[in-house]
Amino acid sequence: MEPGDLLRSLLRGWTLPLFLFMLGFTLVYLPNFENAKIVRRDDGCSLLHDTHFVLYSKRVVTPSGIGPYAVEVEGERIVSVTKRSEAPKTSPGKPRVLDYGNAVIMPGLVDAHVHINEPGRTEWEGFLTGTKAAVAGGTTAIVDMPLNAHPTTTTKQHLDEKKEAAKGKLYIDTGFWGGLVPDNAYNASILEELLEAGALGLKSFMCPSGIEDFPATTAQHIKASLPVLAKFGRPILVHQEVTDPPSQPSSLVPGEPPSNARDYMRYLNARPLTWEREAVRQLMEVAKDTKPGGVAEGAHVHVVHLSDAEDSLSHIKAAKAEGSSVTVETCAHYLSFAAEDVPEGATEYKCAPPLRDARHRELLWKALLGGDIDMITTDHSPSTPDLKLFEEGDFLKAWGGISGIQFALPATWTHGSAWGMTIQQMSRWWSTVPAKMVNLPRKGSLEFGKDADIVVWDPEESFVIDSTYPIYFKNRLSPYIGHKYSGKVITTFSRGRQVFEEGRHAQKPCGAMINPV
């Protein structure tokens, strides 16, 4: 038999099977390959190269509840949220499916109270380290405070300097509060320029801030700013303490030995509840201008880091009931720690207002669960070790501020679950309400059209923040170190980019600066 005859014989036997295979491929698979616009990202901004993918879990937090859903992401947005049984399965030409089993898929946290300190005090914290730590803790958007940086963000020029300093250093989307101080409080043109330049609102202190170029404002300063804020529909955030009656908390009581300053209770007593209560009382009087029909309708007053869920909260509840536009936050550290637990000389626990006793912590949890406190923040306020005076342990002289941006989710979950807090409630306090207060309509929930800002975490996995635990903020100083928590962050997506996964960050920080809408 000639070679050609042998080849023709083989082909006759395979003709029909080969024809059927090619026909099936053409009808079934080829359209998928032609129609599937699978785009891969190789810019270093994401650990996941796919731009179109689906996240599965049995516990997905949606506005309608928690259940087995699939969140489909394409580009930077969520394009569908469907029942898990109806979601697409992995197949050629289809988006990749990431199945996280029983882990929680939740909107990324929105932290509206963060001190980054850059420019000017970058040795305290910087945009790169601060946002790297935030995303490792499941936070996908922050708003930076106007003080502790130098210069403080009280003018358009200073805001522009801050934006320039942030370029190319953001792992997540970042916005900026402007600062209200006596120098600009009565100058509408300066405030309008600041807001037009992109400040999402204003922040003021009703007591000395500790920063010379960010002096305290009075209730009248705040009142004067409200019509400008009303014009732009933006909030003012207020540190609510007044030194009334005047006090010198840095001075020891005559006759007491210097070692007394290592006792946390000495600091607590030097910064009494009356300061917070009087400030809130004054502030709620000012907030009356934000009522419908008021001279500042459209403005909004936000009370930061509430530590007193008694008289102070009563004033806030009454103002809300009367129609004033008011919200209030507390912080993860007030919900985690109590004065009785602070070791002698452990100045990493110092903050203002101070951590109060266990009874006040209990009242804060009850107020949150009862709906009287609107949201939670970290008030991440770091400094360098020398300013914390660790060797001296002097609570009266040490810099006040708690570093906690990386631990907000596990700390809240660990303590909150003991109080009966649900995952849905935590998502509301950390995502939905903050996004609304800051006016970020594309963030805060897993819905069609929203930014794909997502955290995946395991509520059941426990860990200890010990000497080997990876901490990404600049100075390894925090009261959370040494404690055991539940709620490990598995991975975080910022606008569809997988920017963190189990101890790894994306090669490049590709977050954006948030502009007002």
Side-chain angles (χ1 to χ4, degrees):
M1 181 181 290
E2 295 293 327
D5 294 331
L6 178 61
L7 179 61
R8 281 190 291 274
S9 175
L10 290 170
L11 286 176
R12 277 196 296 271
W14 282 95
T15 298
L16 183 60
L18 183 62
F19 172 78
L20 293 174
F21 171 80
M22 293 301 296
L23 179 63
F25 181 89
T26 302
L27 294 176
V28 177
Y29 290 98
L30 192 58
N32 283 335
F33 283 114
E34 291 176 346
N35 295 330
K37 298 177 181 178
I38 302 299
V39 179
R40 291 180 63 80
R41 179 188 287 119
D42 294 303
D43 55 7
C45 297
S46 177
L47 295 168
L48 179 69
H49 296 308
D50 300 71
T51 61
H52 188 190
F53 54 91
V54 177
L55 306 179
Y56 280 166
S57 170
K58 297 175 184 176
R59 292 187 286 186
V60 178
V61 180
T62 74
S64 58
I66 298 178
Y69 291 97
V71 181
E72 183 180 1
V73 175
E74 188 165 7
E76 296 187 346
R77 302 289 180 85
I78 296 170
V79 295
S80 73
V81 180
T82 58
K83 291 181 179 179
R84 194 168 186 267
S85 59
E86 299 171 0
K89 306 296 187 290
T90 299
S91 61
K94 297 294 184 182
R96 179 185 295 198
V97 175
L98 304 174
D99 192 338
Y100 288 102
N102 199 41
V104 172
I105 297 178
M106 193 174 83
L109 279 62
V110 177
D111 194 344
H113 193 157
V114 178
H115 296 267
I116 292 295
N117 308 333
E118 188 174 3
R121 293 188 175 92
T122 313
E123 68 275 13
W124 295 18
E125 189 68 277
F127 286 108
L128 187 65
T129 51
T131 59
K132 201 171 185 179
V135 77
T139 297
T140 53
I142 62 170
V143 190
D144 174 54
M145 284 293 171
L147 73 158
N148 297 2
H150 183 75
T152 53
T153 316
T154 55
T155 66
K156 176 186 181 298
Q157 178 184 346
H158 294 168
L159 177 58
D160 290 342
E161 290 178 34
K162 176 158 292 223
K163 288 183 174 180
E164 187 64 30
K167 284 183 179 178
K169 300 176 183 176
L170 304 175
Y171 269 92
I172 54 176
D173 293 352
T174 301
F176 309 95
W177 299 120
L180 182 77
V181 292
D183 283 350
N184 64 16
Y186 296 108
N187 193 322
S189 62
I190 292 178
L191 295 180
E192 288 185 8
E193 281 185 355
L194 184 56
L195 295 168
E196 286 171 351
L200 298 174
L202 301 176
K203 164 72 183 293
S204 74
F205 267 68
M206 295 181 75
C207 64
S209 68
I211 300 294
E212 289 184 4
D213 56 348
F214 204 90
T217 55
T218 65
Q220 291 308 306
H221 290 130
I222 296 167
K223 183 180 179 73
S225 74
L226 290 180
V228 178
L229 289 162
K231 179 179 178 180
F232 288 82
R234 296 184 202 163
I236 182 164
L237 289 72
V238 183
H239 181 119
Q240 73 293 356
E241 286 182 293
V242 294
T243 53
D244 180 34
S247 178
Q248 296 294 329
S250 61
S251 302
L252 292 171
V253 174
E256 290 186 351
S259 61
N260 177 260
R262 291 179 55 83
D263 184 348
Y264 180 77
M265 300 307 293
R266 176 66 180 84
Y267 170 66
L268 178 61
N269 293 334
R271 209 163 186 120
L273 271 168
T274 53
W275 288 16
E276 188 168 2
R277 290 171 175 176
E278 175 58 19
V280 171
R281 186 195 67 77
Q282 294 180 21
L283 190 57
M284 292 304 100
E285 283 295 315
V286 169
K288 290 178 179 179
D289 288 351
T290 66
K291 292 180 181 180
V295 296
E297 181 183 359
H300 181 79
V301 174
H302 180 73
V303 179
V304 299
H305 50 47
L306 186 79
S307 71
D308 172 37
E310 293 183 303
D311 290 6
S312 298
L313 188 58
S314 295
H315 289 304
I316 294 167
K317 289 167 63 177
K320 288 181 178 181
E322 293 170 1
S324 298
S325 184
V326 175
T327 48
V328 57
E329 70 182 51
T330 191
C331 297
H333 47 267
Y334 296 118
L335 300 168
S336 301
F337 308 115
E340 298 93 324
D341 305 326
V342 179
E344 182 177 292
T347 54
E348 65 269 30
Y349 287 83
K350 181 180 177 179
C351 59
L355 300 171
R356 307 210 184 271
D357 59 35
R359 185 179 70 87
H360 280 91
R361 179 176 57 184
E362 178 180 346
L363 291 172
L364 287 171
W365 273 114
K366 288 181 177 179
L368 264 171
L369 294 166
D372 295 324
I373 295 176
D374 301 287
M375 54 185 269
I376 312 175
T377 65
T378 63
D379 189 9
H380 178 68
S381 186
S383 66
T384 52
D386 59 311
L387 292 174
K388 280 293 188 181
L389 303 178
F390 283 128
E391 289 189 12
E392 295 178 44
D394 189 329
F395 280 106
L396 299 175
K397 296 177 181 177
W399 180 263
I402 284 179
S403 295
I405 197 167
Q406 189 174 330
F407 310 126
L409 189 154
T412 306
W413 173 247
T414 300
H415 294 282
S417 57
W419 282 94
M421 177 194 73
T422 67
I423 293 171
Q424 190 87 8
Q425 286 173 314
M426 188 171 77
S427 181
R428 174 177 169 78
W429 299 330
W430 268 114
S431 303
T432 309
V433 176
K436 184 178 180 180
M437 191 279 288
V438 179
N439 194 21
L440 306 178
R442 292 207 305 265
K443 299 188 183 295
S445 61
L446 303 184
E447 296 178 87
F448 170 78
K450 294 289 187 82
D451 288 345
D453 289 354
I454 302 167
V455 58
V456 183
W457 60 285
D458 185 347
E460 284 74 46
E461 183 165 351
S462 299
F463 57 95
V464 176
I465 304 174
D466 57 17
S467 59
T468 65
Y469 191 87
I471 293 176
Y472 301 104
F473 48 78
K474 184 159 286 187
N475 292 288
R476 195 182 174 91
L477 313 170
S478 175
Y480 295 99
I481 295 174
H483 295 277
K484 183 178 180 180
Y485 295 100
S486 297
K488 183 181 179 182
V489 172
I490 298 169
T491 187
T492 309
F493 297 83
S494 175
R495 278 187 295 110
R497 298 175 177 89
Q498 189 181 38
V499 289
F500 176 81
E501 183 182 38
E502 305 256 20
R504 296 186 301 140
H505 286 81
Q507 181 182 348
K508 291 170 56 179
C510 298
M513 297 185 207
I514 299 171
N515 293 309
V517 294

